[in-house]
Amino acid sequence: MDCANQTWVQNFVLVGFTPTQSLQPLTFLGVLCIYLLTLAGNLFIIILVQADSGLGTPMYFFISILSFLELWYISTTVPTLLCTMLHGPSPVSPIVCFTQLYVFHSLGMTECYLLGVMALDRYFAICRPLHYHSLMGGHVRIWLAAASWVAGFSAALVPTCLTASLPFCRMEIAHYFCDLAPLMRLACVGTAWHARVHGAVIGVATGCNFILILLLYGGILRAVLRLPTAASRTKAFSTCSSHMTVVALFYGSAFAVYVGPPRGRAEGSDKLIALIYALLTPFLNPIIYTLRNKEVKEAVKRVTHRLRALLKGS
């Protein structure tokens, strides 16, 4: 396209999803219910960990940090999803669009680092049980959690700034939130170099953490297989199963979107896959970490008992 004929957009338009008129109310209510249940589930975990001293272990500290992250992660995209479902294509200013892009990817990369830290926690718990509480003491766990947030919000600056510097000639974003690939399709210039830089930055952040998780679980597997009884091996694996499930969900869907050139995928496929890691994964995380978890069930009983005692006393 000739640069002299380029026009720069004043506002973007999020196309979102366009369900049929008969399914629109049902789809909207379904997404709204998932959103509200996700907020309630993650808030429940945060409050429970703070309220019960029995969940004061490093593992539950990191789970509560992950739940706090998920509250913001899902709230970054779902409101615009609901808006497009209710009102159709919705205009969004460039400032709001690139802010959403930055916050979403910052939280996504933070979750990558946090999942790596949680794998390290499980490695120390199983492979170094005698030194676990000293290795994951209060200051260490706070430092690791803070480092995950700083690293995530720092790494997301590069793809966001590069994308924001592009000249855009079209306005309709084939997505329900501002993401890298849909935005680059609107650019007036070639974006192959930008895509390579995005892939390198996101690949380092996600790929290195994924390799670290695999290496740590390789060590965990060797340690568990050396345990003397089947019962002890089952118990050790049970403490890791929830984390492994979350890792598989998050990395599987993220790799499907962000690995490979954006122009190599069918337009519109990004937003379908994004529903998995931006909506479904935050919804499932509280269920995965609490379902059939005896420690959580016992903590709920203790907190409920204390609340009843307080109500009777008053």
Side-chain angles (χ1 to χ4, degrees), residues 59 63 115 118-119 122 126 217 220 224 233-249 284-285 287-293:
M59 180 179 74
I63 289 175
L115 289 173
M118 294 171 75
R122 291 297 83 209
I126 294 173
Y217 271 107
I220 290 172
V224 170
R233 290 193 291 270
T234 301
K235 183 179 179 181
F237 272 127
S238 67
T239 65
C240 304
S241 59
S242 298
H243 181 257
M244 289 189 292
T245 304
V246 171
V247 168
L249 279 172
L284 292 177
N285 281 357
I287 300 172
I288 292 169
Y289 280 115
T290 58
L291 190 65
R292 299 175 62 184
N293 189 316

Side-chain angles (χ1 to χ4, degrees), residues 168 170 174 180-188 191 261-270:
F168 297 96
R170 289 179 291 167
L180 289 173
L183 277 169
M184 287 196 294
R185 292 193 185 101
L186 310 184
C188 304
T191 58
R263 295 186 185 274
R265 294 185 294 270
E267 189 168 332
S269 63
D270 293 335

Side-chain angles (χ1 to χ4, degrees), residues 189-245:
V189 296
T191 58
W193 179 81
H194 296 77
R196 286 195 293 270
V197 175
H198 296 164
V201 173
I202 297 175
V204 168
T206 57
C208 289
N209 277 279
F210 188 64
I211 292 172
L212 172 64
I213 291 171
L214 292 179
L215 291 174
L216 290 170
Y217 271 107
I220 290 172
L221 180 62
R222 288 194 299 270
V224 170
L225 292 178
R226 289 197 296 264
L227 293 175
T229 63
S232 59
R233 290 193 291 270
T234 301
K235 183 179 179 181
F237 272 127
S238 67
T239 65
C240 304
S241 59
S242 298
H243 181 257
M244 289 189 292
T245 304

